[in-house]
Amino acid sequence: PNPSRGSVAPPPWIPGRLTMASSSAPIVLASATSVTPGGTVIPPGVRVTWSERADRLSLHVEIAEPEEVAVSSTDAGAVAIDADSDERRLEVRLQLFSQIDASKTRWTASGRGVALELSKLRIGRWNVLVAGVTPATIKVDWSQYVDEEEEREAKLYPHGYDTYKMRGAMGKDWGSNVAHELAAQKQLAAINTSRPDEEDEEISCY
């Protein structure tokens, strides 16, 4: 219609808002929940950090002061974390990259969120956590990151060094408690000047 004939011009467009003819109050668009084609769903305000070893995954779902926490998982790699936080019911859904042994899933809740330990069904690195596109709210926990070579060395040398190489460099008796004990007894005998037939000298302490 022509505005000159008394019609009312439409209100100006405001970014981030929708207006309706039946109401003067604007409707504010809510933040969108992250949903990926692989089936992972992460509510706004929630972040997931993770790290892996060849046989397991460690996850931390950052939820402030979670209450009424419920965690479930399946061998197919579907993980569900539900919790109340700040008067909201949060539902996190993760479709993992591969299969897990759901019977070994362990989790704990604290004031900072929910931590999970998941056992892989097959040994091997995944390099990604979820199937499909990884949401921006899923991050690698670099403080817990260990590459494959470091993991292999940690399993071979749990004390932090190659005991066989050290034994070759220090001698065949290196690391033997028995050898140390015998050496200590020999040294003690060398400096002991007392005789078995001598009477013990009485010593008083004050």
Side-chain angles (χ1 to χ4, degrees), residues 34 36 42 46-48 133-139:
S34 297
T36 69
I42 301 180
V46 176
R47 191 175 76 149
V48 178
V133 179
T134 300
T137 47
I138 294 180
K139 302 290 185 181

Side-chain angles (χ1 to χ4, degrees), residues 16-36:
R17 296 174 180 265
L18 292 177
T19 56
M20 299 179 62
S22 61
S23 173
S24 60
I27 298 176
V28 180
L29 296 178
S31 300
T33 296
S34 297
V35 182
T36 69

Side-chain angles (χ1 to χ4, degrees), residues 129-144:
L129 178 63
V130 296
V133 179
T134 300
T137 47
I138 294 180
K139 302 290 185 181
V140 175
D141 185 353
W142 294 110
S143 67
Q144 301 297 323

Side-chain angles (χ1 to χ4, degrees), residues 174-195:
W174 179 84
S176 171
N177 290 333
V178 174
H180 292 168
E181 180 67 21
L182 292 175
Q185 292 179 5
K186 185 176 180 180
Q187 183 178 11
L188 180 62
I191 63 175
N192 185 8
T193 58
S194 63
R195 297 179 181 178

Side-chain angles (χ1 to χ4, degrees), residues 89-102:
R89 186 63 178 175
L90 300 176
E91 298 180 352
V92 178
R93 300 293 182 266
L94 302 174
Q95 181 55 57
L96 301 180
F97 176 75
S98 190
Q99 296 174 310
I100 61 173
D101 186 347

